[in-house]
Amino acid sequence: MTTSTTRVLALLEILQGGGTRTVADLAARLGVDERTVRRYAGHLLELGVPVESLRGRYGGYRLAPGHRMPPLMLTDEEALAVLLGLLVAQRTGPVTASGAASESAAAKLRRVLPKALGRRLEALLETADFTAPPRSAGAREAGLLLGLAEAARDRRPVALGYTDRRGRSSERTVWPYGLVAHGGRWYLTAAGPSAGPATDPSAGPATDPSTAPSAGPATDPSIDPSAGPVAGPAEVRTFRLDRVTGMRVLPGSFESPPDFDPVAAVLDSLAGAPWAHEVRVRVRAEEHHVRRHLPPGLATLSPLPPEDGADWTEVRLRAERLDWIPAVLAALDRPFVIDRPPELRTLVTSLADRLTMYATASAPEAPAPDDH
């Protein structure tokens, strides 16, 4: 590839970064004079690249708004980042499209890569594997994600069709605050009129709620009259996107609380989702130590006043089963006090007895050697 051609492609790569670039800036970055920059821009126009020339004091060159270039200018590292991103998202991330869509996107990218780079990336894709199985999703979820994102950005109310954990369908009007990806799923935080119980008791475990109220701010949004009346106080709730059956944008607008944190709202709702047992334990440890074993979305932590010069943390969580909690408490390796439920004390004692038995048991005798 000649030096001239290389610099023309370098100019294209700079312009693909977005914005307007002055001729002087481009000349300095390419190591040529301004007249040569104008000639390179003309070459791009001859190739069908929509380069716009802007006159004036702050003029220069830019690509036409909305123009999408094929990924011809990716470096090895950039191509690796894109392809691995597609693969990892399909395997472990919050999927918003079918596996076929991810595979076809990767195939299109590989077709326009240089052959040498394509062969190297193909070798990586053929030899790399993941412990997590691929997640399944349909293209419908991608459309919902984009539609809800626009509604949240534009502060537009939506009519939301939703199916809860028990398979019961309903439609409600909500004011979308934000979207959060967590644990391989997308969640919508939205405010809406309070209607009956705060949470369906069948919503699911703390890590997989159908819809749960947020422990965060439940500020009543300011609703434009054209959005319809608000029946009762507003309540912030969390919805799993894969359980949304449909949405349509309604007329009107709303104002969300300026300090609202969608991530905190989702994590609080996951940790507070109702289940069979409400667990409260006080641990003699700082909050950051406890958090390493009980991440957000699983437990809510609150610092307690120090006792005997030591920090204490209150742990609150909800669970359908208690059998996994004793092992977590043992992993903390700190003194603790179980406030509730009483049956958790029995499980912890049973685990301690088993560990003592395992640790003190004699090793089995080795079999006698065979003389024959």
Side-chain angles (χ1 to χ4, degrees):
M1 186 178 292
T2 67
T3 302
S4 176
T5 303
T6 301
R7 286 174 175 163
V8 171
L9 294 176
L11 172 61
L12 175 58
E13 186 173 13
I14 294 172
L15 295 179
Q16 285 187 110
T20 301
R21 306 286 183 171
T22 65
V23 176
D25 174 54
L26 292 171
R29 296 186 62 176
L30 295 174
V32 297
D33 56 35
E34 296 185 5
R35 182 178 178 180
T36 303
V37 170
R38 295 187 178 93
R39 188 171 72 250
Y40 289 168
H43 291 334
L44 290 177
L45 284 170
E46 292 173 359
L47 294 172
V49 180
V51 178
E52 294 184 343
S53 174
L54 304 179
R55 300 183 179 277
R57 180 179 179 183
Y58 300 103
Y61 291 105
R62 70 178 184 187
L63 291 182
H67 180 70
R68 302 173 64 182
M69 292 295 298
L72 296 172
M73 296 297 299
L74 294 179
T75 65
D76 289 13
E77 187 176 359
E78 291 168 343
L80 176 63
V82 173
L83 283 174
L84 283 183
L86 288 170
L87 186 60
V88 171
Q90 182 184 350
R91 286 281 183 166
T92 63
V95 181
T96 55
S98 65
S102 298
E103 291 174 3
S104 63
K108 291 177 182 177
L109 177 60
R110 291 198 295 269
R111 281 200 299 268
V112 297
L113 292 175
K115 291 183 178 180
L117 176 57
R119 286 194 298 267
R120 297 182 69 189
L121 292 176
E122 197 67 41
L124 173 64
L125 297 180
E126 289 177 0
T127 57
D129 209 342
F130 295 84
T131 57
R135 297 182 182 274
S136 59
R140 179 185 62 83
E141 190 172 337
L144 285 171
L145 181 67
L146 296 175
L148 289 171
E150 286 185 324
R153 180 197 62 191
D154 300 336
R155 302 292 188 262
R156 300 287 302 276
V158 299
L160 202 68
Y162 198 76
T163 302
D164 66 17
R165 187 177 178 83
R166 289 183 174 177
R168 298 175 301 188
S169 300
S170 64
E171 184 170 303
R172 62 196 80 190
T173 298
V174 299
W175 298 272
Y177 285 171
L179 292 154
V180 177
H182 175 72
R185 299 186 186 277
W186 282 101
Y187 294 89
L188 169 70
T189 58
S194 177
T199 305
D200 176 8
S202 65
T207 56
D208 187 24
S210 170
T211 172
S214 168
T219 307
D220 188 359
S222 175
I223 306 297
D224 186 279
S226 62
V230 179
E235 180 178 61
V236 177
R237 301 181 72 89
T238 297
F239 301 91
R240 262 178 48 178
L241 198 65
D242 60 326
R243 289 183 177 163
V244 175
T245 57
M247 61 84 68
R248 54 189 174 88
V249 179
L250 301 176
S253 62
F254 66 91
E255 292 296 329
S256 60
D259 57 348
F260 182 76
D261 185 350
V263 172
V266 168
L267 294 178
D268 286 342
S269 70
L270 293 175
W275 254 129
H277 302 282
E278 181 180 352
V279 178
R280 291 201 179 189
V281 178
R282 286 172 287 151
V283 182
R284 187 177 179 178
E286 295 180 347
E287 185 174 342
H288 68 83
H289 175 79
V290 180
R291 182 58 77 195
R292 290 202 297 265
H293 301 272
L294 292 166
L298 186 61
T300 300
L301 306 184
S302 303
L304 296 173
E307 295 184 14
D308 300 328
D311 292 312
W312 285 77
T313 300
E314 182 184 53
V315 178
R316 288 176 295 151
L317 60 90
R318 301 169 189 267
E320 183 66 17
R321 296 165 49 188
L322 299 174
D323 53 359
W324 60 273
I325 299 178
V328 176
L329 295 177
L332 290 173
D333 194 22
R334 294 292 190 276
F336 58 84
V337 177
I338 298 175
D339 291 327
R340 67 174 69 168
E343 52 265 41
L344 181 57
R345 299 191 188 99
T346 303
L347 292 174
V348 171
T349 301
S350 177
L351 174 62
D353 292 341
R354 292 197 306 274
L355 292 176
T356 300
M357 180 182 65
Y358 301 153
T360 58
S362 300
E365 294 184 2
D370 191 354
D371 297 333
H372 301 286

